[in-house]
Amino acid sequence: MIEELAGLSKSPLGNPTRLAIALYLLSKERTTFTELKKALKLTSGNLEFHLKALEEAGIIRTYYGFGRRPRKFVEITDEGVKELTKVIRVLREAVGSD
């Protein structure tokens, strides 16, 4: 158990902001950059920094869509869902919740 908890620091989701991003995306599947920024009360630069790290790790995917204006979309990947599920399992075991 201790080793698994320690291993969370090596996970891309070991950072609280990145974990919050993944949890938000899990409930939405896809959102816009602006909606995510407002929901998590982050600056554009801070959100962009964390999204870049998550995208490099394969946790999320970003892309641009066009409607009335270009918008940046963010969605969680299948790999991201698997990693988030693993993190949640470790945390549940640590607090003794089934």
Side-chain angles (χ1 to χ4, degrees):
M1 172 53 60
I2 299 296
E3 294 83 21
E4 284 185 307
L5 278 172
L8 290 182
S9 66
K10 294 181 179 102
S11 167
L13 300 177
N15 175 286
T17 300
R18 294 177 192 158
L19 180 59
I21 291 168
L23 287 167
Y24 186 84
L25 290 173
L26 186 64
S27 69
K28 296 274 191 178
E29 285 186 33
R30 177 182 84 158
T31 191
T32 64
F33 180 90
T34 302
E35 182 181 329
L36 187 57
K37 180 178 88 166
K38 287 178 183 176
L40 299 179
K41 296 178 175 49
L42 299 171
T43 65
S44 294
N46 194 296
L47 179 56
E48 194 64 55
F49 172 81
H50 289 292
L51 291 180
K52 182 178 179 187
L54 289 171
E55 192 160 32
E56 287 174 358
I59 303 294
I60 60 135
R61 174 176 98 86
T62 62
Y63 59 94
Y64 288 90
F66 297 93
R68 293 187 320 229
R69 57 185 162 82
R71 295 174 10 170
K72 185 173 188 172
F73 288 94
V74 184
E75 65 183 28
I76 194 164
T77 63
D78 290 341
E79 185 178 330
V81 172
K82 288 177 190 172
E83 182 68 18
L84 182 55
T85 301
K86 182 178 92 175
V87 168
I88 291 170
R89 180 187 53 78
V90 170
L91 292 173
R92 277 188 177 155
E93 288 174 4
V95 296
S97 176
D98 293 326

